Amino acid sequence: MHLNNKVTKFILLGLTQDPVWKKMVFTTFLLFYLGTLFGNLLIIVTIKTSWVLQSPMYFFLFYLSLSDTCFCTSTAPRMIVDALLRKTTISFTECMIQLFSSHFFGCLEIFILILMAVDRYVTICKPLHYMTITSHQVHGVLVAMAWVGSCVHSLAQIFLALSLPFCGPNVIDHYFCDLQPLLKLACSDTYVINLLLVSNGGAICTVRFVRLMFSYVVILHSLRNHSAEGRRKALSTCISHITMVIFFFGPCIFIYIRPAATFPMDKMIAVFYTIGTPLLNPLIYTLRNAEVKNAMRKLCGSKRLISDDER
C-alpha cells in the first residue's frame, strides 16, 4: 500500500464557495443537525426508559437511532464549521477517519434496516413461532454481527483509499471525504479500484435493497389473512420501514453504483442520505407509531412532575 503519499492534507470545497450561500449553509444545516440530535436522542431515551417499548422492533429502532446519530455526526459538524471558514483543509489522517466512520455507521444502518425487516417478517408471517425463533440473546448476536460486518466494509474502503497514490492536486470537490472524489485525485489508473468499489458499495446496496423490498412484498401479501385491526397496525409499521428503506437506499445506489462518474447533483444527493435521512427517521417512526408517541408523552410528563416536585 502507498502509505508514503506526498499529499498530507486535502482542501474541501464544501457545498459552495459563495460567502452568502455559506452563511445559509451554516444556519440551515446547524438547525438540521440539532433537530437530528434531538429527535434521535429522544427516541433512544424513550426506548431505554419505557417498559412498553421492549419488543424486538424497538430494540432495533434503538440501534437505528443510534446509528443515525453517529452517521450524521461523522459529516455534519465538519460541514457546519467549514461553512464559517474561507479555506477549509483536512489532514490525510482525518480524511481517512471520516471515510471510515461515515461508511461504518452508514453500513450499520443498512444492517439494522435489514434486521427490522426480518423481525417484521417473522412477526407477521410466522407469529406462532416468533417466541421460539427470536430472543434477546439472538437479537444481541444479530446486532453484534451487524457491527462486525460494518467494520469489515469500512476497513475495505480504507484499504482501497490507502492503495491510491496522491501526488498532485489535493482539492476535493465535496463536503466530506469519500472514496469517489478521492479517486479523481489519484495519480494512477483507478479502473480496478472502481470495480472493487462498485462490488463493495453499489452492488451490495442494490442487492440488499431488492431483497428488502421483496421481503416487504411477501409481508404485505401475507396480511390478507389478518384481521382489519392487525392489518392496520402492521401496515402502519411496514409503510414506515419501506419509506426509510427507499429514502436511504435510493441515494446510496445512485452514488455508489457508478463510482467512475460524478455529477453536479451528487453533493445534494449525499446531503439527503447523510443529513436528511437521519433527520426524517425520528419523524417517520414517531408520527406513525402510537406506542412511541404515548411513551414520549409519559416521559415528558414524568419530567414535568419531577421538576414540579423540586420546586
Side-chain angles (χ1 to χ4, degrees), residues 118-137:
V118 172
D119 177 72
R120 289 299 86 199
Y121 172 80
V122 177
T123 302
I124 296 171
C125 301
K126 307 283 185 180
L128 299 179
H129 304 283
Y130 184 77
M131 296 306 296
T132 57
I133 295 175
T134 63
S135 66
H136 288 295
Q137 290 79 10

Side-chain angles (χ1 to χ4, degrees), residues 249-263:
F249 277 87
C252 286
I253 292 172
F254 179 83
I255 293 291
Y256 294 107
I257 200 65
R258 40 96 195 151
T262 56
F263 300 115

Side-chain angles (χ1 to χ4, degrees), residues 42-297:
L42 181 59
I43 289 181
I44 289 172
V45 173
T46 301
I47 292 175
K48 273 299 180 183
T49 57
S50 174
W51 290 100
V52 179
L53 307 179
Q54 297 302 313
S55 66
M57 181 177 70
Y58 300 115
F59 175 80
F60 293 131
L61 180 58
F62 170 87
Y63 282 101
L64 181 66
S65 294
L66 180 63
S67 62
D68 270 337
T69 303
C70 297
F71 182 46
C72 186
T73 301
S74 67
T75 58
R78 174 89 201 193
M79 180 182 69
I80 294 168
V81 172
D82 286 350
L84 297 175
L85 306 175
R86 276 188 72 184
K87 189 175 182 181
T88 57
T89 61
I90 183 171
S91 69
F92 185 85
T93 301
E94 289 174 322
C95 183
M96 294 300 104
I97 292 173
Q98 190 177 62
L99 174 65
F100 178 87
S101 60
S102 61
H103 277 270
F104 178 84
F105 291 110
C107 187
L108 180 62
E109 182 161 348
I110 289 175
F111 279 124
I112 297 301
L113 287 171
I114 292 173
L115 293 178
M116 293 176 79
V118 172
D119 177 72
R120 289 299 86 199
Y121 172 80
V122 177
T123 302
I124 296 171
C125 301
K126 307 283 185 180
L128 299 179
H129 304 283
Y130 184 77
M131 296 306 296
T132 57
I133 295 175
T134 63
S135 66
H136 288 295
Q137 290 79 10
V138 171
H139 298 145
V141 170
L142 290 174
V143 170
M145 291 174 62
W147 283 77
V148 173
S150 301
C151 187
V152 171
H153 165 78
S154 301
L155 287 175
Q157 298 292 110
I158 293 294
F159 179 84
L160 293 176
L162 292 177
S163 66
L164 295 172
F166 301 106
C167 52
N170 65 338
V171 179
I172 299 177
D173 188 13
H174 217 303
Y175 63 92
F176 73 101
C177 281
D178 203 0
L179 203 52
Q180 286 85 351
L182 286 175
L183 284 172
K184 298 176 68 175
L185 306 181
C187 304
S188 64
D189 181 41
T190 59
Y191 178 77
V192 175
I193 294 180
N194 270 306
L195 293 180
L196 293 173
L197 183 56
V198 168
S199 62
N200 188 43
I204 292 177
C205 282
T206 304
V207 170
R208 288 171 179 169
F209 175 74
V210 171
R211 287 182 177 177
L212 275 171
M213 296 309 296
F214 178 76
S215 68
Y216 279 114
V217 168
V218 174
I219 291 171
L220 294 175
H221 183 265
S222 69
L223 290 177
R224 297 177 306 163
N225 303 322
H226 288 67
S227 64
E229 177 63 20
R231 284 198 300 269
R232 184 195 64 79
K233 188 174 181 180
L235 274 173
S236 178
T237 302
C238 288
I239 289 173
S240 298
H241 292 185
I242 292 171
T243 302
M244 290 319 305
V245 166
I246 293 174
F247 280 178
F248 189 80
F249 277 87
C252 286
I253 292 172
F254 179 83
I255 293 291
Y256 294 107
I257 200 65
R258 40 96 195 151
T262 56
F263 300 115
M265 67 184 76
D266 285 357
K267 289 184 186 180
M268 295 312 301
I269 292 175
V271 164
F272 184 78
Y273 76 84
T274 58
I275 298 175
T277 303
L279 176 65
L280 292 173
N281 264 351
L283 295 175
I284 290 176
Y285 280 106
T286 54
L287 292 178
R288 300 190 61 87
N289 194 305
E291 290 180 337
V292 174
K293 287 190 289 186
N294 291 333
M296 286 182 176
R297 291 192 190 102

